[in-house]
Amino acid sequence: MSSPSEEPAWRQRAVERSIKAAKVRAEQRVQRFLDAAQVIIDEKGTTDFTVQEVVDRSRQSLRSFYLHFDGKHELLLALFEDALNRTADQIRAAASGQKEPLDRLRVAVQLLFELCRPDPDARRPLFTDFAPQLLVSHPTEVKVAHTPVLAVFTELLADAEEASLLSPEVKPRRTAALIMQTVMFNAQSSGSPDDETANPLTADEIWDFCANGITNH
């Protein structure tokens, strides 16, 4: 009994081409929703908007929106992940301007602190409004979203460890997570730099605290 013949190569190519085209169109539709939501956030300075507003701004259908997102939360999560990817790139670029491992780590800590600090003029509601809510409601998603930033801090700590600048008990990845949590929590809970009565923490203070916990004395 002969085995069934394989699918013709031309058919495989046609199917692959069709799938590729559909994937490109889906990515374009998703990006239009993301771009529309980001414009609305920038205009309002808040994540307080409706799905219908995003649909109208993107000039797509509500049906198309729900084909790609479960709801507003998933849309915001996608924007949050994109923002953290850009944050990781920004931190890595800033740190690379320093020659010494601890200087690179200092720049990373201070920049992350400033990026996460509440600032009405900066309009970063994904970090100041949405992120704290997400941490409570969806901690697993938060952990995944922060992976790019965690990778940067892990790399910087590994460089410092290789240069014998860290205490022996410091483990780069675990310590990177601790530093990130410390920096972001204190930044998000600190007052505005212009609020004298709040006496907010500074980036230098946060760095001194972290450095005292990880470096050789």
Side-chain angles (χ1 to χ4, degrees), residues 145-184:
H146 282 90
T147 299
V149 180
L150 177 61
V152 173
F153 277 88
T154 301
E155 292 167 12
L156 294 173
L157 281 161
D159 290 343
E161 180 185 46
E162 187 175 346
S164 301
L165 298 172
L166 303 184
S167 298
E169 65 273 15
V170 171
K171 302 295 186 291
R173 185 174 177 81
R174 289 178 63 86
T175 304
L178 286 170
I179 289 176
M180 278 179 53
Q181 291 168 14
T182 298
V183 172
M184 297 180 78

Side-chain angles (χ1 to χ4, degrees), residues 1-165:
M1 182 176 178
S2 60
S3 60
S5 59
E6 293 185 1
E7 187 177 76
W10 67 264
R11 188 185 300 276
Q12 293 179 22
R13 290 194 299 271
V15 170
E16 290 171 358
R17 189 176 296 112
S18 175
I19 292 173
K20 183 177 180 180
K23 182 174 182 291
V24 170
R25 288 194 297 271
E27 289 174 347
Q28 291 172 342
R29 288 193 291 269
V30 167
Q31 192 59 53
R32 285 170 64 184
F33 284 126
L34 294 175
D35 291 343
Q38 188 62 62
V39 169
I40 293 172
I41 291 173
D42 291 342
E43 290 177 352
K44 290 189 171 186
T46 176
T47 56
D48 184 17
F49 61 83
T50 67
V51 169
Q52 189 61 55
E53 286 180 277
V54 175
V55 169
D56 292 343
R57 181 63 67 96
S58 70
R59 296 184 178 180
Q60 300 186 97
S61 69
L62 193 62
R63 177 178 178 276
S64 179
F65 178 88
Y66 283 107
L67 281 175
H68 301 294
F69 300 99
D70 284 339
K72 178 182 173 181
H73 165 266
E74 193 169 80
L75 173 69
L76 286 173
L77 179 59
L79 288 171
F80 184 58
E81 290 177 351
D82 281 350
L84 283 171
N85 273 309
R86 292 193 298 271
T87 296
D89 291 340
Q90 187 177 352
I91 291 173
R92 181 178 279 109
S96 67
Q98 303 293 324
K99 293 182 179 180
E100 299 300 324
L102 285 182
D103 286 335
R104 290 196 291 271
L105 186 59
R106 172 182 54 78
V107 167
V109 166
Q110 293 176 334
L111 180 54
L112 180 63
F113 181 81
E114 295 297 346
L115 289 173
C116 294
R117 185 204 295 270
D119 184 352
D121 296 328
R123 289 194 168 194
R124 294 190 293 264
L126 283 172
F127 287 92
T128 57
D129 299 340
F130 179 65
Q133 299 171 18
L134 189 67
L135 182 61
V136 175
S137 61
H138 296 77
T140 301
E141 284 87 343
V142 170
K143 182 177 180 180
V144 173
H146 282 90
T147 299
V149 180
L150 177 61
V152 173
F153 277 88
T154 301
E155 292 167 12
L156 294 173
L157 281 161
D159 290 343
E161 180 185 46
E162 187 175 346
S164 301
L165 298 172

